[in-house]
Amino acid sequence: MFKSLWIKFFLLLTAVSLIALSSALILRELMISDFKKYIEGEMEDRIYWITASLESTYEKHSGWQNEEVIEDTVWALMLGFHIRLYDMNGSMVIDTARAVNALSPLMKKRILAISEISGAENSGSFIPYPLFLGGNEIGQLEVRFLNTGKDAVFIYRSNLMLLLSLFLLGGSAMVMSLVFSKRLMKPVKGLTDGVTAISGGNLKKRVAITSRDEIGNLSMAFNSMAQTLETQESLRKKLTSNIAHELRTPLTIIRGELEGMMDGFIPVDNEHLESLYSEIKRLIHIIEGIEELARAEASILTLSRQPVELMTFLKNIAGRFHQPFSEKGVSLEIRCEEGVIASADPERLSQIIMNLLSNALKATECGGNVLVIASRQDAELAIEVRDNGCGIKQEDLQFVFERFYKGKEGGLGLGLAIARELVEAHGGRIEARSDYGKGSSFTVYLPI
């Protein structure tokens, strides 16, 4: 059960909620403790007021007079205390009940109403406080706190509020944890289903993108991966078909001629042996193309970089292509800035440019021209091969660098794929642009 990721998220969010609620409980205990300490301090201050007032009354009248201490006793009642006052001999001078009874009926009613003595409860026993005047003890005051219940009401209401908060906020937190954990895991489950479908061979599977966060970005990356896999699978099937077709033709011819020679229908002479030899060369060409692509993919491990002066380098390559361009009636022009140096493997860079020039020559008819331009562009070197040949259809342009993709008959469809692998091995990139019927442009960008 706990292997489920959404359960783990739910438990995590629930734990966070419980910690937050526990913090509220701790805060409540601290507040109640501070409140009680505040009340105790307040009561102590009031007792000191009462003792100071009684000592002042004794000094003013040079003794304890019942009539004089009634006011202090009533005042003590209003402050929330029952008191008993004793003289030096231990005889009671007055207490709260006698002081209240000594008042007039109207005053007694008002005092009792103000002091809320009718609804109050006595809290604890009397606590003695000695009274002094001039360093001599003049009597003793006994005090008992009159609990009106106001502090209890405050504590009760705070407990009630906390309890409601626990139920409401805690319940809401639990529900939200459940909802959000499920919502959070829904796209993850969709991705899991998508991966399962892809691994099962369903390359058309896509997942819904419901957000723009990290999960949404992951879903977009998954869909992009699935699209790439589908495209690659389509190209693989086309490759299989193309290779089978390319291999079947020469093998069929070789088999037919050999069977004819074995049966005596075809003479074993130089003409027929040369025919067999040419078909074998076609098979070797196909195999070499596949091997060349494998070497291009591994070229990043075998690059031998060195400074290459592009003007001289490109002129040497143009010299190699002088004859085929001349025979077809296509002009070849090189434009390169002086002093442009590339850090590259000369053999691999030569292979890239020669592939591009070969394609440009095939695409250009007699009277056309091919232009090679090399220049600095910001932090890159750009080598562009531009022709005014037949061009490439827009629907084919996005696939021209894919392995074994052939836009038209002829070749294996490996030249541009090999060129891209070699360019990327140098840390660069290659781009294609075309206007169908008017020409194409292939640009290699290499880091300086």
Side-chain angles (χ1 to χ4, degrees):
M1 177 181 178
F2 290 100
K3 292 183 179 180
S4 176
L5 190 58
W6 85 264
I7 290 291
K8 294 178 181 179
F9 272 115
F10 173 68
L11 292 178
L12 175 62
L13 294 174
T14 301
V16 172
S17 301
L18 292 176
I19 291 173
L21 294 174
S22 300
S23 300
L25 288 173
I26 294 173
L27 180 61
R28 177 261 176 194
E29 290 298 325
L30 293 175
M31 291 179 61
I32 294 299
S33 176
D34 288 344
F35 175 72
K36 290 181 177 179
K37 289 180 180 179
Y38 167 77
I39 294 297
E40 291 175 0
E42 185 72 15
M43 292 300 104
E44 287 293 329
D45 290 342
R46 293 180 182 182
I47 291 172
Y48 291 143
W49 297 346
I50 296 169
T51 57
S53 180
L54 288 171
E55 288 169 348
S56 177
T57 300
Y58 182 89
E59 180 181 16
K60 181 178 179 180
H61 298 283
S62 301
W64 299 115
Q65 304 293 331
N66 284 350
E67 294 80 4
E68 304 300 333
V69 296
I70 289 176
E71 183 178 346
D72 291 330
T73 304
V74 172
W75 181 51
L77 175 63
M78 296 176 66
L79 290 177
F81 298 99
H82 279 168
I83 68 171
R84 292 192 301 215
L85 179 61
Y86 297 91
D87 59 16
M88 281 295 298
N89 299 322
S91 300
M92 180 181 292
V93 177
I94 196 170
D95 63 5
T96 300
R98 288 168 57 184
V100 172
N101 290 330
L103 298 174
S104 64
L106 180 58
M107 186 60 68
K108 179 180 178 180
K109 182 178 179 180
R110 290 181 176 178
I111 292 299
L112 291 177
I114 295 173
S115 63
E116 299 181 358
I117 191 172
S118 57
E121 297 179 357
N122 294 325
S123 177
S125 58
F126 283 92
I127 301 174
Y129 289 88
L131 302 175
F132 294 91
L133 183 62
N136 298 317
E137 187 173 349
I138 58 175
Q140 182 172 279
L141 175 67
E142 292 183 351
V143 178
R144 180 169 63 186
F145 176 59
L146 183 64
N147 187 2
T148 61
K150 291 182 178 180
D151 53 344
V153 171
F154 172 79
I155 296 174
Y156 168 77
R157 289 181 177 176
S158 64
N159 289 337
L160 181 61
M161 182 61 67
L162 179 63
L163 186 63
L164 291 175
S165 299
L166 287 175
F167 276 108
L168 293 177
L169 297 181
S172 299
M174 294 287 287
V175 172
M176 291 177 66
S177 298
L178 180 62
V179 171
F180 279 107
S181 60
K182 279 190 170 293
R183 286 191 62 184
L184 183 63
M185 293 312 301
K186 185 176 180 180
V188 176
K189 186 179 183 300
L191 285 169
T192 303
D193 294 340
V195 171
T196 303
I198 292 292
S199 63
N202 181 14
L203 300 181
K204 295 186 178 297
K205 178 67 175 179
R206 301 293 185 269
V207 297
I209 300 174
T210 57
S211 63
R212 295 295 178 183
D213 55 11
E214 289 80 358
I215 297 294
N217 292 337
L218 181 59
S219 299
M220 292 175 64
F222 174 86
N223 288 341
S224 176
M225 177 200 69
Q227 180 64 45
T228 302
L229 288 174
E230 185 179 4
T231 302
Q232 291 291 341
E233 178 64 12
S234 174
L235 292 174
R236 184 191 66 79
K237 290 179 179 179
K238 188 171 184 179
L239 158 67
T240 304
S241 175
N242 289 342
I243 289 182
H245 174 74
E246 295 289 340
L247 293 175
R248 185 184 297 111
T249 301
L251 287 174
T252 301
I253 294 174
I254 292 172
R255 177 182 175 181
E257 292 193 6
L258 287 175
E259 288 178 347
M261 290 178 181
M262 292 170 62
D263 293 338
F265 295 111
I266 298 177
V268 182
D269 53 22
N270 286 338
E271 180 182 355
H272 292 93
L273 289 177
E274 287 178 0
S275 175
L276 291 175
Y277 181 69
S278 64
E279 296 302 327
I280 292 173
K281 285 177 65 177
R282 286 181 60 186
L283 290 175
I284 293 174
H285 176 65
I286 295 172
I287 295 171
E288 286 178 345
I290 297 174
E291 289 178 343
E292 184 64 30
L293 178 62
R295 285 194 295 269
E297 291 175 342
S299 61
I300 190 172
L301 302 176
T302 59
L303 284 181
S304 178
R305 292 177 180 268
Q306 56 185 279
V308 177
E309 205 280 316
L310 283 184
M311 176 62 83
T312 303
F313 176 80
L314 293 175
K315 285 184 176 180
N316 288 336
I317 293 179
R320 300 184 197 179
F321 279 85
H322 175 71
Q323 182 175 350
F325 270 80
S326 296
E327 290 177 352
K328 194 173 182 180
V330 177
S331 65
L332 175 60
E333 181 182 355
I334 305 294
R335 296 179 188 174
C336 180
E337 299 177 5
E338 292 290 341
V340 177
I341 305 296
S343 175
D345 184 324
E347 181 180 351
R348 300 300 185 186
L349 184 58
S350 174
Q351 188 176 357
I352 295 168
I353 303 302
M354 291 175 68
N355 266 331
L356 297 180
L357 286 175
S358 295
N359 288 342
L361 180 59
K362 292 176 184 178
T364 307
E365 299 297 332
C366 179
N369 66 284
V370 175
L371 177 62
V372 180
I373 304 173
S375 61
R376 295 185 183 88
Q377 293 186 8
D378 298 329
E380 295 177 314
L381 292 177
I383 305 174
E384 180 185 4
V385 177
R386 184 191 305 168
D387 65 69
N388 60 354
C390 60
I392 304 170
K393 294 180 180 179
Q394 289 301 313
E395 58 267 26
D396 293 329
L397 192 61
Q398 59 180 321
F399 300 114
V400 293
F401 295 110
E402 299 295 340
R403 304 166 191 174
F404 307 105
Y405 185 85
K406 295 190 295 183
K408 58 182 180 179
E409 294 299 324
L412 293 176
L414 293 176
L416 289 176
I418 292 172
R420 183 181 66 174
E421 294 290 345
L422 295 176
V423 171
E424 291 179 350
H426 283 82
R429 69 187 194 280
I430 183 169
E431 296 178 354
R433 294 182 296 275
S434 182
D435 189 357
Y436 186 64
K438 296 183 179 180
S440 304
S441 170
F442 290 84
T443 306
V444 174
Y445 295 93
L446 299 176
I448 294 179

